[in-house]
Amino acid sequence: MQQASLKHSNRRQRGIAIVTVLLVVALAATLAASVLWRQRVATRDVENQRLAVETMWVERAAVEWARASLRAQSSTSNVTVDGQTWSQPVSDIQLANFLPRDALEVNGELGSAWISGQVEDAQAKFNLLNLVGRPAPGAPWQVNAAGLAAYHRLLVELSLDPALAQATADYILHSLRDGTGTSGWPLQLVTAADLVRVPGYDDKAVSALTPYVTVLPDITPVNINTAAEPTLVAAVPGLSAEQAHTLVERRHTAYFVDTSEIASVLPAAQSEAVQQILQTAQIDVNSGYFIVHCRIHSPRINTRIDTLIARYGIGDFSWTTVIWVHRVTT
């Protein structure tokens, strides 16, 4: 009986040992899987970071190409028009066409991505900063009557509430004044989308204005060679929608090399009146601000950035600088 009890005890101990071994093996397997999973996650994280950095450098290369094109255009012409090299859009070109072979071997994902983009003349739009001005350098900001009237005309042309002109001017004026950083000090406008912060605007009004307004760091004229008809109506006092259409039609055959040419394309009875107001019109035939739109996409990449570029100087003495970079949510 004692021997049978001993055998039973041995079997139980062997069973406990087997269960213990199985538990240890299961625990070891779980730990190994956890380590491998963490290693895989870390490796993918490093790959994503590397891909993000490489994508950023591709975006910078696209901006540098745009800057070079704008400098080249300035050295050959003092007129900015659609059709010049800088304005040619790039439509979905695979990056493998530009990257060296060794770069593709390191990261084939970037080579399989596509890039597209275009350069937009920012002065083809009405600059909301024109609503304010300074009578002298360092003087306090104040409402600019000419700019206020121009924005009023644009709002009327787009069938929007003209009272928004004064509300926008007041907001910009308040945001530019020296503040204490309190919650009552409004943020400055950077893009047309920021108009939603101005009392009186809704999404519909902002959507209607976005193709025709912008926010630039300086007071700027509208380029009559690139502006849309409603923007021309706003920029030139007394110009009708029909006259603006005539100006746009003229651009299809010959661009304007001087603002005085506006009078020559209008009927004689109208040209004299237009000639009288040209000195108060906020127009030009050249531009100094441009927005570069760039998008890169693939199964793992989907980025888009907008970059505001300023161009200064003329001819071979021109140069460009980046004012801001805005990463657009896609």
Side-chain angles (χ1 to χ4, degrees), residues 144-226:
N144 178 8
L148 185 66
Y151 192 44
H152 186 282
R153 291 191 293 270
L154 179 60
L155 291 169
V156 172
E157 186 68 16
L158 297 177
S159 300
L160 297 174
D161 183 6
L164 291 174
Q166 186 64 54
T168 309
D170 292 340
Y171 181 96
I172 295 175
L173 193 64
H174 192 191
S175 69
L176 291 174
R177 286 174 176 165
D178 294 334
T180 60
T182 62
S183 59
W185 188 29
L187 295 173
Q188 295 183 15
L189 301 181
V190 178
T191 67
D194 296 333
L195 285 171
V196 294
R197 298 201 296 262
V198 181
Y201 284 89
D202 55 19
D203 292 339
K204 183 178 179 180
V206 173
S207 178
L209 282 164
T210 297
Y212 306 106
V213 301
T214 188
V215 183
L216 300 176
D218 298 310
I219 296 174
T220 57
V222 168
N223 187 340
I224 59 175
N225 283 312
T226 56

Side-chain angles (χ1 to χ4, degrees), residues 4 6-16:
L6 182 61
K7 290 182 179 179
H8 177 72
S9 177
N10 289 339
R11 285 197 299 270
R12 185 175 64 179
Q13 290 178 358
R14 285 198 300 270
I16 293 174

Side-chain angles (χ1 to χ4, degrees), residues 34-48:
S34 176
V35 170
L36 290 175
W37 179 80
R38 290 177 181 272
Q39 184 178 12
R40 180 175 298 179
V41 170
T43 301
R44 179 55 65 92
D45 185 54
V46 171
E47 291 177 351
N48 289 338

Side-chain angles (χ1 to χ4, degrees), residues 157 229-230 232-234 238-248:
E157 186 68 16
E229 294 176 19
L232 291 174
V233 171
L239 194 71
S240 67
E242 292 75 17
Q243 291 170 339
H245 180 72
T246 301
L247 297 179
V248 172

Side-chain angles (χ1 to χ4, degrees), residues 106-330:
V106 173
N107 195 333
E109 178 64 32
L110 188 65
S112 63
W114 301 78
I115 185 171
S116 60
Q118 67 180 74
V119 181
E120 175 190 5
D121 180 5
Q123 287 183 227
K125 300 180 178 182
F126 176 80
N127 181 10
L128 291 174
L129 193 64
N130 288 8
L131 292 172
V132 298
R134 282 175 164 172
W141 290 94
Q142 61 186 29
V143 174
N144 178 8
L148 185 66
Y151 192 44
H152 186 282
R153 291 191 293 270
L154 179 60
L155 291 169
V156 172
E157 186 68 16
L158 297 177
S159 300
L160 297 174
D161 183 6
L164 291 174
Q166 186 64 54
T168 309
D170 292 340
Y171 181 96
I172 295 175
L173 193 64
H174 192 191
S175 69
L176 291 174
R177 286 174 176 165
D178 294 334
T180 60
T182 62
S183 59
W185 188 29
L187 295 173
Q188 295 183 15
L189 301 181
V190 178
T191 67
D194 296 333
L195 285 171
V196 294
R197 298 201 296 262
V198 181
Y201 284 89
D202 55 19
D203 292 339
K204 183 178 179 180
V206 173
S207 178
L209 282 164
T210 297
Y212 306 106
V213 301
T214 188
V215 183
L216 300 176
D218 298 310
I219 296 174
T220 57
V222 168
N223 187 340
I224 59 175
N225 283 312
T226 56
E229 294 176 19
T231 311
L232 291 174
V233 171
V236 182
L239 194 71
S240 67
E242 292 75 17
Q243 291 170 339
H245 180 72
T246 301
L247 297 179
V248 172
E249 287 297 312
R250 148 71 190 270
R251 293 187 331 216
H252 295 327
T253 56
Y255 57 80
F256 296 96
V257 297
D258 190 89
T259 56
S260 62
E261 293 183 9
I262 288 181
S264 65
V265 301
L266 300 174
Q270 300 173 348
S271 62
E272 182 178 354
V274 172
Q275 187 66 45
Q276 293 175 354
I277 62 177
L278 281 179
Q279 294 184 355
T280 61
Q282 303 174 34
I283 56 175
D284 200 349
V285 295
N286 203 6
S287 298
Y289 287 95
F290 303 84
I291 298 179
V292 181
H293 305 283
C294 177
R295 184 190 177 210
I296 300 175
H297 62 97
S298 75
R300 287 182 58 191
I301 306 172
N302 189 16
T303 66
R304 178 188 160 192
I305 63 168
D306 291 342
T307 306
L308 177 63
I309 295 176
R311 182 177 63 185
Y312 305 103
I314 57 174
D316 294 332
F317 300 97
S318 66
W319 71 97
T320 62
T321 186
V322 173
I323 303 298
W324 52 249
V325 177
H326 180 211
R327 188 163 297 278
V328 181
T329 303
T330 56

